[in-house]
Amino acid sequence: MHDLLRAYASHLATTQESGRDRRAAQQRLFDFYLATAAAAMDVLYPDERSQRPAVDRPATPTPTLTDRESARRWLDTERPNLVAVAACSATHGPPNHAVHLSTILDRYLESGHYADAVDLHTHAHRAARTCGDLTGQGWPLFGLGPASLRLDRYGQAAEHLSLALLRFRQAGDGTGQARALNNLGNVEALRGHCDAAAAYHQQA
């Protein structure tokens, strides 16, 4: 959107729309992005559907994503907006949109979009901390682990995954614990710490 048009739209929204109408419009927008992202991921990774949070159908129309090409194209096109939605959700609420986007998009972001993964998962972690959601904190931290690893930040990857493991243990999330332990083992193996890697993998 052109900067002048964006400024004009922002001016109209703040001067001619009530706060309630603006919040309702934002909610519809967030719901649209969350639902469409979930639909795209269901097309790309159908076997992992049960590992992602269930998302209600939004009140607004959504694009029809029937094949892998259209699903990936939508995600690639909308990725900057998805990160922006997570940032806005974490800052202004509702925080659950950022947390859900982190879990839903993790596998897609892992496929080469590491800087965006760091941004989105960081926003989601902040949102989960705001509402005291331990499992919600665990999954963004879990996502930050592989993203940091791909950016050659091995120490940060281990720190994120260790904290994710702690949050999953506090929440009693066995699946989260197993996946965090497995990734910690992978990190230690890549660092050449074979005994530590074996210990993590045995625990997983």
Side-chain angles (χ1 to χ4, degrees), residues 57-101:
R57 187 169 181 80
T60 53
T62 57
T64 302
L65 306 174
T66 56
D67 57 79
R68 294 176 61 83
E69 183 180 349
S70 63
R72 187 168 294 280
R73 185 169 56 247
W74 185 88
L75 289 168
D76 289 343
T77 301
E78 297 293 341
R79 190 170 64 251
N81 290 326
L82 291 163
V83 175
V85 167
C88 190
S89 168
T91 303
H92 304 291
N96 61 304
H97 284 81
V99 176
H100 287 335
L101 279 173

Short mmCIF file of all heavy atoms in Angstrom, two decimals, residues 57-101:
data_model
loop_
_atom_site.label_atom_id
_atom_site.label_comp_id
_atom_site.label_asym_id
_atom_site.label_seq_id
_atom_site.Cartn_x
_atom_site.Cartn_y
_atom_site.Cartn_z
N ARG A 57 -13.67 -21.33 12.08
CA ARG A 57 -13.84 -20.67 10.78
C ARG A 57 -14.17 -19.20 11.02
O ARG A 57 -15.02 -18.88 11.84
CB ARG A 57 -14.96 -21.35 10.01
CG ARG A 57 -15.10 -20.86 8.58
CD ARG A 57 -16.04 -21.75 7.79
NE ARG A 57 -16.15 -21.29 6.41
CZ ARG A 57 -15.28 -21.54 5.47
NH1 ARG A 57 -14.20 -22.25 5.76
NH2 ARG A 57 -15.45 -21.10 4.24
N PRO A 58 -13.52 -18.28 10.31
CA PRO A 58 -13.77 -16.85 10.55
C PRO A 58 -15.10 -16.40 9.94
O PRO A 58 -15.68 -17.09 9.10
CB PRO A 58 -12.60 -16.17 9.84
CG PRO A 58 -12.25 -17.10 8.73
CD PRO A 58 -12.50 -18.49 9.27
N ALA A 59 -15.54 -15.22 10.36
CA ALA A 59 -16.79 -14.67 9.85
C ALA A 59 -16.63 -14.13 8.43
O ALA A 59 -17.61 -13.96 7.71
CB ALA A 59 -17.27 -13.55 10.77
N THR A 60 -15.40 -13.86 8.02
CA THR A 60 -15.13 -13.29 6.70
C THR A 60 -14.74 -14.39 5.71
O THR A 60 -14.25 -15.44 6.12
CB THR A 60 -14.00 -12.26 6.78
OG1 THR A 60 -12.87 -12.89 7.40
CG2 THR A 60 -14.41 -11.06 7.60
N PRO A 61 -14.93 -14.17 4.42
CA PRO A 61 -14.52 -15.17 3.42
C PRO A 61 -13.01 -15.38 3.43
O PRO A 61 -12.25 -14.46 3.72
CB PRO A 61 -14.98 -14.55 2.09
CG PRO A 61 -15.98 -13.52 2.44
CD PRO A 61 -15.60 -13.01 3.81
N THR A 62 -12.59 -16.58 3.10
CA THR A 62 -11.17 -16.90 3.01
C THR A 62 -10.89 -17.52 1.65
O THR A 62 -11.78 -18.07 1.01
CB THR A 62 -10.75 -17.90 4.11
OG1 THR A 62 -11.56 -19.08 3.99
CG2 THR A 62 -10.93 -17.31 5.49
N PRO A 63 -9.65 -17.42 1.17
CA PRO A 63 -9.33 -18.01 -0.13
C PRO A 63 -9.41 -19.53 -0.09
O PRO A 63 -9.24 -20.14 0.96
CB PRO A 63 -7.90 -17.54 -0.39
CG PRO A 63 -7.35 -17.23 0.95
CD PRO A 63 -8.49 -16.75 1.78
N THR A 64 -9.70 -20.10 -1.23
CA THR A 64 -9.75 -21.55 -1.34
C THR A 64 -8.36 -22.07 -1.68
O THR A 64 -7.81 -21.75 -2.74
CB THR A 64 -10.75 -21.97 -2.44
OG1 THR A 64 -12.04 -21.45 -2.12
CG2 THR A 64 -10.83 -23.49 -2.54
N LEU A 65 -7.79 -22.83 -0.76
CA LEU A 65 -6.44 -23.38 -0.94
C LEU A 65 -6.58 -24.89 -1.06
O LEU A 65 -6.68 -25.60 -0.06
CB LEU A 65 -5.56 -23.00 0.24
CG LEU A 65 -5.48 -21.50 0.57
CD1 LEU A 65 -4.69 -21.27 1.85
CD2 LEU A 65 -4.85 -20.74 -0.59
N THR A 66 -6.61 -25.37 -2.29
CA THR A 66 -6.92 -26.78 -2.51
C THR A 66 -5.69 -27.62 -2.86
O THR A 66 -5.78 -28.84 -2.87
CB THR A 66 -7.94 -26.92 -3.66
OG1 THR A 66 -7.41 -26.26 -4.83
CG2 THR A 66 -9.27 -26.29 -3.28
N ASP A 67 -4.57 -26.98 -3.16
CA ASP A 67 -3.39 -27.74 -3.53
C ASP A 67 -2.16 -27.12 -2.88
O ASP A 67 -2.20 -25.98 -2.39
CB ASP A 67 -3.22 -27.80 -5.05
CG ASP A 67 -3.14 -26.41 -5.66
OD1 ASP A 67 -2.07 -25.78 -5.59
OD2 ASP A 67 -4.17 -25.95 -6.19
N ARG A 68 -1.07 -27.86 -2.89
CA ARG A 68 0.15 -27.43 -2.21
C ARG A 68 0.70 -26.13 -2.80
O ARG A 68 1.20 -25.28 -2.08
CB ARG A 68 1.20 -28.54 -2.29
CG ARG A 68 0.82 -29.79 -1.52
CD ARG A 68 1.86 -30.89 -1.72
NE ARG A 68 3.16 -30.48 -1.23
CZ ARG A 68 3.56 -30.57 0.03
NH1 ARG A 68 2.72 -31.05 0.95
NH2 ARG A 68 4.75 -30.19 0.39
N GLU A 69 0.61 -25.98 -4.11
CA GLU A 69 1.14 -24.78 -4.75
C GLU A 69 0.41 -23.53 -4.29
O GLU A 69 1.05 -22.51 -3.94
CB GLU A 69 1.05 -24.90 -6.27
CG GLU A 69 1.65 -23.72 -7.01
CD GLU A 69 1.55 -23.85 -8.51
OE1 GLU A 69 1.20 -24.94 -9.00
OE2 GLU A 69 1.81 -22.84 -9.20
N SER A 70 -0.93 -23.57 -4.26
CA SER A 70 -1.69 -22.38 -3.83
C SER A 70 -1.48 -22.11 -2.35
O SER A 70 -1.42 -20.94 -1.93
CB SER A 70 -3.18 -22.55 -4.15
OG SER A 70 -3.73 -23.64 -3.44
N ALA A 71 -1.36 -23.16 -1.55
CA ALA A 71 -1.15 -22.98 -0.11
C ALA A 71 0.21 -22.33 0.16
O ALA A 71 0.31 -21.37 0.94
CB ALA A 71 -1.24 -24.33 0.61
N ARG A 72 1.25 -22.84 -0.50
CA ARG A 72 2.58 -22.26 -0.28
C ARG A 72 2.67 -20.85 -0.84
O ARG A 72 3.30 -19.98 -0.23
CB ARG A 72 3.66 -23.15 -0.90
CG ARG A 72 5.08 -22.70 -0.57
CD ARG A 72 6.10 -23.73 -0.94
NE ARG A 72 6.00 -24.94 -0.14
CZ ARG A 72 6.48 -25.06 1.08
NH1 ARG A 72 7.08 -24.03 1.66
NH2 ARG A 72 6.37 -26.19 1.75
N ARG A 73 2.03 -20.60 -1.98
CA ARG A 73 2.06 -19.26 -2.56
C ARG A 73 1.39 -18.26 -1.63
O ARG A 73 1.87 -17.15 -1.45
CB ARG A 73 1.37 -19.26 -3.93
CG ARG A 73 1.45 -17.92 -4.66
CD ARG A 73 1.00 -18.03 -6.10
NE ARG A 73 -0.34 -18.57 -6.23
CZ ARG A 73 -0.63 -19.74 -6.78
NH1 ARG A 73 0.34 -20.52 -7.24
NH2 ARG A 73 -1.88 -20.15 -6.86
N TRP A 74 0.26 -18.66 -1.00
CA TRP A 74 -0.42 -17.75 -0.07
C TRP A 74 0.48 -17.46 1.12
O TRP A 74 0.62 -16.30 1.53
CB TRP A 74 -1.76 -18.35 0.40
CG TRP A 74 -2.53 -17.39 1.23
CD1 TRP A 74 -3.43 -16.45 0.81
CD2 TRP A 74 -2.45 -17.23 2.66
NE1 TRP A 74 -3.91 -15.72 1.86
CE2 TRP A 74 -3.34 -16.17 3.01
CE3 TRP A 74 -1.73 -17.87 3.67
CZ2 TRP A 74 -3.51 -15.75 4.33
CZ3 TRP A 74 -1.90 -17.45 4.98
CH2 TRP A 74 -2.77 -16.41 5.30
N LEU A 75 1.11 -18.48 1.68
CA LEU A 75 1.99 -18.27 2.83
C LEU A 75 3.19 -17.40 2.47
O LEU A 75 3.56 -16.52 3.24
CB LEU A 75 2.46 -19.62 3.38
CG LEU A 75 1.42 -20.46 4.10
CD1 LEU A 75 1.93 -21.88 4.33
CD2 LEU A 75 1.01 -19.82 5.42
N ASP A 76 3.77 -17.65 1.30
CA ASP A 76 4.92 -16.85 0.89
C ASP A 76 4.53 -15.38 0.69
O ASP A 76 5.29 -14.48 1.07
CB ASP A 76 5.51 -17.39 -0.42
CG ASP A 76 6.23 -18.72 -0.24
OD1 ASP A 76 6.55 -19.07 0.91
OD2 ASP A 76 6.45 -19.40 -1.27
N THR A 77 3.36 -15.16 0.11
CA THR A 77 2.91 -13.79 -0.16
C THR A 77 2.56 -13.06 1.14
O THR A 77 2.89 -11.88 1.32
CB THR A 77 1.68 -13.80 -1.09
OG1 THR A 77 2.03 -14.44 -2.31
CG2 THR A 77 1.19 -12.39 -1.37
N GLU A 78 1.91 -13.76 2.04
CA GLU A 78 1.38 -13.13 3.24
C GLU A 78 2.32 -13.22 4.45
O GLU A 78 1.98 -12.72 5.53
CB GLU A 78 0.03 -13.77 3.62
CG GLU A 78 -1.06 -13.58 2.58
CD GLU A 78 -1.48 -12.13 2.43
OE1 GLU A 78 -1.21 -11.32 3.34
OE2 GLU A 78 -2.08 -11.80 1.39
N ARG A 79 3.49 -13.81 4.28
CA ARG A 79 4.39 -13.99 5.43
C ARG A 79 4.69 -12.69 6.17
O ARG A 79 4.63 -12.66 7.41
CB ARG A 79 5.69 -14.68 4.98
CG ARG A 79 6.57 -15.11 6.14
CD ARG A 79 7.72 -15.99 5.67
NE ARG A 79 8.63 -15.28 4.79
CZ ARG A 79 8.75 -15.50 3.49
NH1 ARG A 79 8.00 -16.42 2.90
NH2 ARG A 79 9.61 -14.82 2.76
N PRO A 80 5.00 -11.56 5.48
CA PRO A 80 5.23 -10.32 6.25
C PRO A 80 4.01 -9.89 7.06
O PRO A 80 4.15 -9.39 8.18
CB PRO A 80 5.56 -9.29 5.15
CG PRO A 80 6.02 -10.10 3.99
CD PRO A 80 5.23 -11.38 4.04
N ASN A 81 2.82 -10.10 6.51
CA ASN A 81 1.61 -9.74 7.25
C ASN A 81 1.36 -10.67 8.43
O ASN A 81 0.87 -10.24 9.48
CB ASN A 81 0.39 -9.77 6.31
CG ASN A 81 0.43 -8.64 5.30
OD1 ASN A 81 0.89 -7.55 5.60
ND2 ASN A 81 -0.05 -8.90 4.10
N LEU A 82 1.70 -11.95 8.28
CA LEU A 82 1.54 -12.89 9.39
C LEU A 82 2.46 -12.52 10.54
O LEU A 82 2.06 -12.59 11.71
CB LEU A 82 1.83 -14.31 8.90
CG LEU A 82 0.78 -14.89 7.94
CD1 LEU A 82 1.35 -16.08 7.19
CD2 LEU A 82 -0.48 -15.26 8.68
N VAL A 83 3.69 -12.11 10.22
CA VAL A 83 4.60 -11.65 11.27
C VAL A 83 4.06 -10.38 11.92
O VAL A 83 4.12 -10.21 13.14
CB VAL A 83 6.02 -11.42 10.70
CG1 VAL A 83 6.94 -10.83 11.76
CG2 VAL A 83 6.60 -12.73 10.17
N ALA A 84 3.50 -9.48 11.10
CA ALA A 84 2.94 -8.23 11.62
C ALA A 84 1.74 -8.49 12.52
O ALA A 84 1.55 -7.82 13.55
CB ALA A 84 2.54 -7.30 10.47
N VAL A 85 0.91 -9.47 12.15
CA VAL A 85 -0.24 -9.83 13.00
C VAL A 85 0.26 -10.35 14.35
O VAL A 85 -0.28 -9.99 15.40
CB VAL A 85 -1.12 -10.89 12.30
CG1 VAL A 85 -2.11 -11.51 13.28
CG2 VAL A 85 -1.88 -10.26 11.13
N ALA A 86 1.29 -11.19 14.33
CA ALA A 86 1.83 -11.70 15.59
C ALA A 86 2.38 -10.56 16.45
O ALA A 86 2.16 -10.53 17.67
CB ALA A 86 2.93 -12.72 15.31
N ALA A 87 3.06 -9.60 15.83
CA ALA A 87 3.61 -8.47 16.57
C ALA A 87 2.49 -7.63 17.19
O ALA A 87 2.56 -7.24 18.36
CB ALA A 87 4.47 -7.61 15.65
N CYS A 88 1.45 -7.35 16.39
CA CYS A 88 0.34 -6.52 16.89
C CYS A 88 -0.43 -7.26 17.97
O CYS A 88 -0.83 -6.66 18.97
CB CYS A 88 -0.57 -6.16 15.71
SG CYS A 88 -1.82 -4.92 16.12
N SER A 89 -0.63 -8.56 17.77
CA SER A 89 -1.35 -9.37 18.77
C SER A 89 -0.59 -9.39 20.09
O SER A 89 -1.19 -9.26 21.17
CB SER A 89 -1.52 -10.79 18.23
OG SER A 89 -1.95 -11.68 19.23
N ALA A 90 0.73 -9.53 20.02
CA ALA A 90 1.53 -9.57 21.25
C ALA A 90 1.55 -8.23 21.96
O ALA A 90 1.58 -8.16 23.19
CB ALA A 90 2.96 -9.99 20.91
N THR A 91 1.49 -7.14 21.19
CA THR A 91 1.59 -5.80 21.77
C THR A 91 0.25 -5.27 22.26
O THR A 91 0.15 -4.69 23.34
CB THR A 91 2.18 -4.81 20.74
OG1 THR A 91 3.45 -5.31 20.31
CG2 THR A 91 2.36 -3.43 21.34
N HIS A 92 -0.78 -5.48 21.45
CA HIS A 92 -2.08 -4.87 21.75
C HIS A 92 -3.17 -5.88 22.08
O HIS A 92 -4.26 -5.49 22.51
CB HIS A 92 -2.55 -4.01 20.57
CG HIS A 92 -1.56 -2.96 20.17
ND1 HIS A 92 -1.27 -1.86 20.96
CD2 HIS A 92 -0.78 -2.84 19.06
CE1 HIS A 92 -0.36 -1.11 20.36
NE2 HIS A 92 -0.04 -1.69 19.21
N GLY A 93 -2.91 -7.17 21.84
CA GLY A 93 -3.90 -8.19 22.10
C GLY A 93 -4.86 -8.36 20.92
O GLY A 93 -4.85 -7.54 20.00
N PRO A 94 -5.65 -9.43 20.97
CA PRO A 94 -5.58 -10.52 21.94
C PRO A 94 -4.34 -11.39 21.71
O PRO A 94 -4.01 -11.68 20.56
CB PRO A 94 -6.88 -11.30 21.69
CG PRO A 94 -7.23 -11.02 20.27
CD PRO A 94 -6.73 -9.64 19.97
N PRO A 95 -3.68 -11.80 22.79
CA PRO A 95 -2.39 -12.49 22.64
C PRO A 95 -2.47 -13.89 22.04
O PRO A 95 -1.48 -14.39 21.51
CB PRO A 95 -1.86 -12.54 24.08
CG PRO A 95 -3.08 -12.46 24.94
CD PRO A 95 -4.04 -11.59 24.20
N ASN A 96 -3.64 -14.53 22.11
CA ASN A 96 -3.72 -15.91 21.64
C ASN A 96 -3.45 -16.05 20.13
O ASN A 96 -3.00 -17.09 19.67
CB ASN A 96 -5.08 -16.52 21.98
CG ASN A 96 -6.23 -15.79 21.33
OD1 ASN A 96 -6.39 -14.58 21.51
ND2 ASN A 96 -7.05 -16.49 20.58
N HIS A 97 -3.71 -14.99 19.35
CA HIS A 97 -3.44 -15.08 17.92
C HIS A 97 -1.94 -15.27 17.66
O HIS A 97 -1.55 -16.07 16.81
CB HIS A 97 -3.95 -13.83 17.20
CG HIS A 97 -5.44 -13.81 17.03
ND1 HIS A 97 -6.29 -13.42 18.04
CD2 HIS A 97 -6.22 -14.14 15.98
CE1 HIS A 97 -7.53 -13.51 17.62
NE2 HIS A 97 -7.53 -13.95 16.37
N ALA A 98 -1.11 -14.53 18.35
CA ALA A 98 0.34 -14.67 18.18
C ALA A 98 0.79 -16.06 18.58
O ALA A 98 1.59 -16.69 17.88
CB ALA A 98 1.07 -13.61 19.00
N VAL A 99 0.29 -16.55 19.71
CA VAL A 99 0.69 -17.87 20.21
C VAL A 99 0.27 -18.95 19.22
O VAL A 99 1.06 -19.86 18.88
CB VAL A 99 0.08 -18.12 21.60
CG1 VAL A 99 0.41 -19.53 22.08
CG2 VAL A 99 0.59 -17.09 22.60
N HIS A 100 -0.97 -18.88 18.72
CA HIS A 100 -1.44 -19.90 17.77
C HIS A 100 -0.68 -19.83 16.45
O HIS A 100 -0.36 -20.87 15.86
CB HIS A 100 -2.93 -19.73 17.53
CG HIS A 100 -3.79 -20.15 18.67
ND1 HIS A 100 -3.38 -21.08 19.61
CD2 HIS A 100 -5.04 -19.79 19.04
CE1 HIS A 100 -4.33 -21.26 20.50
NE2 HIS A 100 -5.35 -20.49 20.18
N LEU A 101 -0.39 -18.62 15.97
CA LEU A 101 0.36 -18.50 14.71
C LEU A 101 1.74 -19.15 14.84
O LEU A 101 2.23 -19.77 13.90
CB LEU A 101 0.51 -17.03 14.31
CG LEU A 101 -0.69 -16.39 13.62
CD1 LEU A 101 -0.46 -14.89 13.45
CD2 LEU A 101 -0.97 -17.04 12.27
#
